[in-house]
Amino acid sequence: FTKMHGCGNDYIYVNGFEEKVSDKSKAAITLSDRHFGIGSDGIIFINPSDKADFEMEMYNADGSRAEMCGNGIRCVAKYVYDKGLTDKTRIRVETLAGIKELDLKVESGKVNGVTVNMGVPELSGAKIPSTFEGDKVINEALTVGDKEYRVTLVNMGNPHAIVYMEDIDSLEIEKLGPLFENHKVFPKRINTEFVEVIDKTKVKMRVWERGAGETWACGTGASAVLVASVLNNKTERSAVVSLRGGDLSITWDKDSGEVFMTGPAEIVFDGETTENF
């Protein structure tokens, strides 16, 4: 395996061309444990694909299957190039959220940055999915616990609820995050971004991810935040989203409607485990 991270959003990567794992959910739960395992937000298998250059098969730390991860897919790009699985600087990766196109920035034979076409956001309440109706869910009231919040919903291949507030650094996200994640209006649970607007070109966010808890970064979440911020007239169509683990540059193209995310991908270490799954 290879441990990698994008802005601190860390995953264990397994070469599915060579390694065979029968119980991938169990592997994700066991290996992701930060005290008794390798430690990660989940596990990603890089597999052959008959639809694209590679397939990204992703599991959260709780063993649940995930559709897509923006930080994770950048690391897939670095893995396949740096380890010689491809010599292309533009690749296509199959995910449960569709095929994503990635442009690799290469210096001295190594990838040091990746731009991902995250696709066109889905804004319909039913397709988030949620019990909200209408073509868009923008700044709508939602009671969570005993308090009312205003939420904007965006699906970037996986579901996101964006909430704007002040002083997110002092937020007790461990208490509030699970209440959003498991709220009855979200039948497939929800990723929640708590966002503080700095100015028209920069926002800060913290994220509570389904099946993983708070992570240091979330690429689909940062993309969803940019879309929500444009819809709420809080930022320009290009902005920096500052996460606990670093910054991502996000652009929502006005003509194509596609969202583009640019950020780093880093290898932490390679290793082997004697566990059988």
Side-chain angles (χ1 to χ4, degrees), residues 2-4 9-14 24 27-29 31-34 38-45 57-64 66 69 209 211-212 215:
T2 299
K3 174 80 178 283
M4 304 182 72
N9 193 191
D10 59 336
Y11 290 92
I12 300 159
Y13 293 80
V14 176
K24 294 176 178 177
I29 294 168
L31 298 179
S32 296
D33 190 288
R34 296 191 182 277
I38 298 164
S40 69
D41 293 323
I43 189 167
I44 292 175
F45 296 89
E57 183 182 2
M58 177 186 170
Y59 294 82
N60 294 315
D62 69 350
S64 60
C69 172
E209 292 198 57
T215 60

